Amino acid sequence: MRRRPLTQRWLIASAFFGMSGVALGAFAAHLLRSRLDPRAFEIFEVGARYQMYHALLLGVFGVLEQMKGIDRVNRGGESTGTGAGAGTGAGTGAGTGAGTGAGTGAGTGAGTEQGERRDLGLTWAGALVTGGIVVFSGSLYLLAITGQSWLGAVTPIGGLALLGGWAAFLRASIRW
């Protein structure tokens, strides 16, 4: 199976969570409002609201990944790897000399690139936000529908993942 570029993965996740957030919000407004007590309905709405905020954030990650890719192409890769110099030297002796060229080629990808660290920052941010949406909003949906109070203890784990995603985004932005 072909692995999708990060740009596409974050945009797909953004679209999925946005679409499902709208669907769940409509489901709550039209079908659950009369079936849930006001507090449970409010809990469900908080889950949908946070899902939508963070779905948009995943879209931002996808756009930023796209911009970084364009920026990297415009700068020619900016790799610190060393290429093979293809210089021709003057041979000494009677035959054909095998001189050593003093050329330095442009490194294209084997080196460590400043952009790779930024990619990792947005990768962590996106992964934490995605997990945070599932755990935070998912636990709130289940808590509202089932009334199982132990799910309230799971919600802060998702909240920490969301905060971690924002922190990773901040760090990636600073290192941009």
Side-chain angles (χ1 to χ4, degrees):
M1 187 167 126
R2 180 175 72 89
R3 189 172 176 158
R4 296 187 186 282
L6 283 177
T7 303
Q8 190 176 15
R9 282 187 262 168
W10 298 141
L11 293 175
I12 289 170
S14 174
F16 171 77
F17 285 120
M19 180 182 69
S20 60
V22 169
L24 288 165
F27 172 71
H30 297 292
L31 296 175
L32 292 181
R33 184 184 298 270
S34 62
R35 293 183 172 94
L36 296 177
D37 65 74
R39 177 68 181 137
F41 182 75
E42 181 183 332
I43 289 170
F44 196 97
E45 279 189 321
V46 168
R49 186 170 46 247
Y50 274 73
Q51 180 174 334
M52 289 302 297
Y53 294 154
H54 291 90
L56 294 173
L57 182 61
L58 289 171
V60 168
F61 294 164
V63 170
L64 289 175
E65 287 287 350
Q66 182 71 28
M67 288 172 52
K68 282 188 347 191
I70 291 169
D71 188 41
R72 220 177 278 132
V73 168
N74 288 341
R75 288 185 287 148
E78 199 179 284
S79 174
T80 59
T82 56
T88 55
T92 57
T96 55
T100 58
T104 56
T108 56
T112 58
E113 196 174 306
Q114 179 70 17
E116 288 176 13
R117 281 186 252 141
R118 287 192 304 256
D119 286 349
L120 190 58
L122 283 179
T123 299
W124 272 102
L128 286 166
V129 167
T130 300
I133 291 171
V134 171
V135 175
F136 182 84
S137 294
S139 65
L140 289 178
Y141 298 144
L142 290 172
L143 174 62
I145 292 172
T146 66
Q148 297 292 316
S149 60
W150 65 269
L151 288 164
V154 175
T155 305
I157 296 168
L160 287 173
L162 293 173
L163 287 171
W166 281 102
F169 180 34
L170 174 63
R171 184 163 190 237
S173 298
I174 289 169
R175 296 176 69 146
W176 189 277

